[in-house]
Amino acid sequence: MGERLIVIEHEADAGLGFFAGWLEAAGVEAEVVRPYKGEQVPGRAPGGLLVLGGSAAAWDDEGYGWLPATRDLLARAVNEGVPTLGICLGAQLMTMACGGMVERGDAGLEIGLGEIEPLPEAAADPLLSALPGGPVRAIQYHYDAMTVLPAGAVRLATGARYANQAYRLGDRAWAVQFHPEATPAIFASWTGGGELPPERAEELNAQVEAAGDELERTWRPLAEAFAALLAARSHELTWADIG
């Protein structure tokens, strides 16, 4: 039986993307919860938790009524040492849930292929140490920013436009502002909503499409490292049940 991972999906166009196949190949069983369809956010995620991105602001509880429950779930997972990964909106929700601050970004929209610079602390990190050395590229699409990290957070990566691109909290919880899961097709669905001039959307889509293989090579090792943490957590729970 695969390792069980709770996934919170905030909207249909922001799904698991690359991660679906990568995690499945690593033996992970993903249970996707879709609160925008009326599904209830669980109170716990004992085996692992992945909170995806979306267009909501992390503080818009009135517009997205499941956000408080998602923040509570993230806080509990972090406190219980559950392997946890927050992506973009998920990272911002984790930041707020654990005492940090998220605000509308002063540098405006960050979109398209962006360069991520791992910091020295990433070299010994269980997830980011899986990346190739030096700067890497990832898909970005966000207006808001993690401006104050939670107490005790270890910053792992930065960028030219927004400084807080990735951090770890405790031993098993990570927040990444960028989208390691996003495929070129998913990105194209985001740019197709009419928010951008058509020429700009086409340019960005072409850049991401051309980088598809690079994105897979860069971010699959991170997904596999997260899957390994889920397997270790499953082993711990099994021995706890036996004991």
Side-chain angles (χ1 to χ4, degrees):
M1 185 172 68
E3 316 306 337
R4 187 164 175 266
L5 173 69
I6 297 295
V7 178
I8 306 299
E9 180 185 283
H10 298 286
E11 56 191 61
D13 289 339
L16 278 168
F18 283 134
F19 272 41
W22 296 344
L23 292 174
E24 182 180 6
V28 174
E29 178 185 346
E31 178 182 336
V32 181
V33 179
R34 298 177 173 89
Y36 62 95
K37 290 188 173 183
E39 298 175 3
Q40 185 173 359
V41 174
R44 295 186 69 224
L49 176 62
L50 172 56
V51 181
L52 294 167
S55 57
W59 57 83
D60 188 3
D61 296 355
E62 183 175 348
Y64 302 83
W66 63 86
L67 295 186
T70 304
R71 291 196 300 269
D72 288 346
L73 175 61
L74 281 159
R76 183 165 189 174
V78 172
N79 288 335
E80 293 182 348
V82 173
T84 300
L85 177 59
I87 293 175
C88 199
L89 173 58
Q92 295 166 1
L93 289 167
M94 179 174 144
T95 300
M96 291 182 62
C98 296
M101 185 178 296
V102 178
E103 301 173 283
R104 185 54 55 114
D106 289 341
L109 174 64
E110 185 170 31
I111 186 171
L113 283 177
E115 190 170 274
I116 307 299
E117 179 70 49
L119 297 171
E121 291 79 2
D125 183 75
L127 253 59
L128 269 70
S129 62
L131 299 179
V136 294
R137 295 198 296 176
I139 289 175
Q140 298 272 16
Y141 202 136
H142 69 101
Y143 287 98
D144 302 333
M146 303 178 292
T147 54
V148 179
L149 301 185
V154 177
R155 197 159 66 107
L156 298 171
T158 189
R161 197 176 188 96
Y162 287 104
N164 294 323
Q165 290 291 339
Y167 70 85
R168 184 184 70 250
L169 190 57
D171 294 331
R172 295 177 177 170
W174 287 265
V176 298
Q177 182 58 76
F178 48 89
H179 285 278
E181 87 296 353
T183 64
I186 285 177
F187 180 75
S189 74
W190 297 342
T191 62
E195 182 179 18
L196 300 173
E199 298 81 4
R200 178 61 172 154
E202 290 175 8
E203 177 188 13
L204 292 171
N205 292 344
Q207 292 171 356
V208 169
E209 181 67 35
D213 290 343
E214 173 193 338
L215 294 171
E216 290 198 57
R217 289 193 306 270
T218 300
W219 298 110
R220 181 166 187 160
L222 182 142
E224 292 172 342
F226 187 61
L229 290 171
L230 296 173
R233 175 68 172 179
S234 177
H235 182 72
E236 288 178 7
L237 293 176
T238 299
W239 280 106
D241 291 339
I242 292 173

